Amino acid sequence: MKIMITGSNGQVGCNLVRLLSNTEHDVFASDRYTLDITDARQVMAAVRDYRPDVIINAAAYTAVDKAENDIELAFAINREGPKFLAQAAQDVNAVILHISTDYVFAGNKEGTYFESDETDPHTVYGKSKLAGELEVAAKCDKHIILRTAWVFGEYGSNNFVKTMLRLAPTKSSLRVVDDQFGGPTYAADIATALIEIATQIIEQGNRDFGIYHFSGLPHVTWAQFADVIFDKAQEQFLLLSKPDVNAITTDEYPTHAKRPANSRLDTQKITQVFGIQASDWQAALCHLNDYLV
């Protein structure tokens, strides 16, 4: 396969490049410095020149709070970029795989969110990501939209696991939100799922295009997630003592953008269609030393 990756320096993008580096696949990896996805002409020129079988869009504006005031840039990256990539994919008869988010939902449903549930984003970030979904679906017939949540991994500097590991050695206790529920998702598992989907589409002829949910199980709160992180860190001798996790409410930890109370995504569809199991986030915490590099 010829695979074009955007956002190659992000959490998922880095893993895509790593996992594909020793394969027979031809990979064109780009970041914001080598390909500006908000520039329609640049995108079309790059895609027409490379002519990929698959475009994996791992580029996104993900600063949820900052987006509330940075509306134009958030929509440029999360809506216009995917639109231009999808148009270019359609032009060269490529498949586009696009990463989206739980923030497209209001977060007030009881139980898990299915792909068919009504979207109702309450943040600029969520609205811009939903707009990107709609553009991808409208502009390219052969599309996969992969919604995920609570992404963490070894790459990058801003994810919950790294933050907890940074704070733990200097704190005897930490206040962590305990009324938001979701599925922590290991970035490498997202990358693996995207590669498997691309392989099944290009090499095996799977044509089940559309929206899929992929995130981790079991579902937990942020406080519960933190507690497991600290347990794993102690088991791996990275913490001498475990800080107390003091559960607080969302109201006690105000943020500029409203977080969804319920980010639990149902992952049955991706298992049924592609045989891909939910991310095992607890297994991904068994090598925490890699997160400290």
Side-chain angles (χ1 to χ4, degrees):
M1 282 188 292
K2 293 184 70 176
I3 304 173
M4 183 177 192
I5 300 167
T6 60
S8 63
N9 59 351
Q11 289 192 83
V12 177
C14 283
N15 278 289
L16 284 167
V17 172
R18 176 180 63 83
L19 291 168
L20 290 167
S21 62
N22 293 317
T23 69
E24 73 279 8
H25 302 303
D26 187 321
V27 178
F28 175 87
S30 64
D31 57 23
R32 61 180 175 174
Y33 302 107
T34 55
L35 177 62
D36 180 2
I37 66 169
T38 69
D39 185 324
R41 291 184 179 179
Q42 193 177 140
V43 169
M44 187 62 77
V47 172
R48 285 180 173 173
D49 181 60
Y50 183 62
R51 304 196 73 82
D53 299 303
V54 179
I55 297 173
I56 303 179
N57 181 33
Y61 184 109
T62 58
V64 177
D65 289 319
K66 191 178 177 183
E68 294 298 304
N69 295 321
D70 205 5
I71 300 172
E72 185 176 347
L73 183 59
F75 272 86
I77 296 172
N78 292 343
R79 178 187 62 195
E80 299 305 302
K83 176 176 75 173
F84 299 149
L85 288 166
Q87 287 174 331
Q90 183 77 6
D91 182 71
V92 299
N93 195 33
V95 178
I96 183 166
L97 278 57
H98 173 68
I99 303 171
S100 192
T101 174
D102 57 294
Y103 276 74
V104 301
F105 297 113
N108 55 10
K109 178 189 176 183
E110 294 292 331
T112 58
Y113 276 100
F114 294 90
E115 289 84 351
S116 56
D117 282 334
E118 181 181 358
T119 53
D120 182 21
H122 287 186
T123 64
V124 169
Y125 169 67
K127 291 173 182 177
S128 67
K129 290 296 289 182
L130 177 59
E133 286 189 10
L134 296 173
E135 290 290 357
V136 168
K139 298 299 189 295
C140 185
D141 297 332
K142 298 192 294 187
H143 67 269
I144 296 288
I145 295 166
L146 193 73
R147 292 179 184 147
T148 189
W150 294 22
V151 181
F152 71 92
E154 300 90 340
Y155 297 105
S157 58
N158 185 26
N159 67 63
F160 187 76
V161 174
K162 287 196 169 189
T163 299
M164 291 299 102
L165 292 175
R166 185 177 68 250
L167 293 174
T170 63
K171 304 287 185 180
S172 60
S173 65
L174 287 166
R175 300 166 73 244
V176 187
V177 172
D178 198 39
D179 59 357
Q180 296 173 18
F181 294 83
T185 314
Y186 184 40
D189 289 344
I190 299 173
T192 300
L194 289 166
I195 294 168
E196 177 62 24
I197 291 169
T199 300
Q200 289 193 32
I201 290 172
I202 300 300
E203 298 182 1
Q204 300 175 25
N206 190 327
R207 291 293 183 267
D208 289 302
F209 300 115
I211 299 173
Y212 291 85
H213 288 172
F214 179 78
S215 64
L217 289 176
H219 295 135
V220 289
T221 67
W222 290 110
Q224 292 168 339
F225 188 21
D227 202 50
V228 175
I229 293 167
F230 298 146
D231 283 340
K232 295 288 188 181
Q234 271 200 306
E235 290 172 9
Q236 296 167 54
F237 306 105
L238 299 177
L239 276 181
L240 293 177
S241 60
K242 174 183 172 182
D244 294 328
V245 177
N246 296 331
I248 62 172
T249 66
T250 298
D251 290 340
E252 293 176 275
Y253 188 78
T255 55
H256 197 38
K258 181 182 178 181
R259 265 59 176 176
N262 179 15
S263 291
R264 291 174 288 197
L265 301 178
D266 188 281
T267 60
Q268 294 179 73
K269 181 182 176 184
I270 198 169
T271 302
Q272 293 167 353
V273 176
F274 291 103
I276 294 171
Q277 301 296 321
S279 175
D280 185 348
W281 60 267
Q282 293 181 88
L285 299 177
C286 290
H287 46 90
L288 287 175
N289 196 56
D290 294 340
Y291 294 70
L292 301 174
V293 177

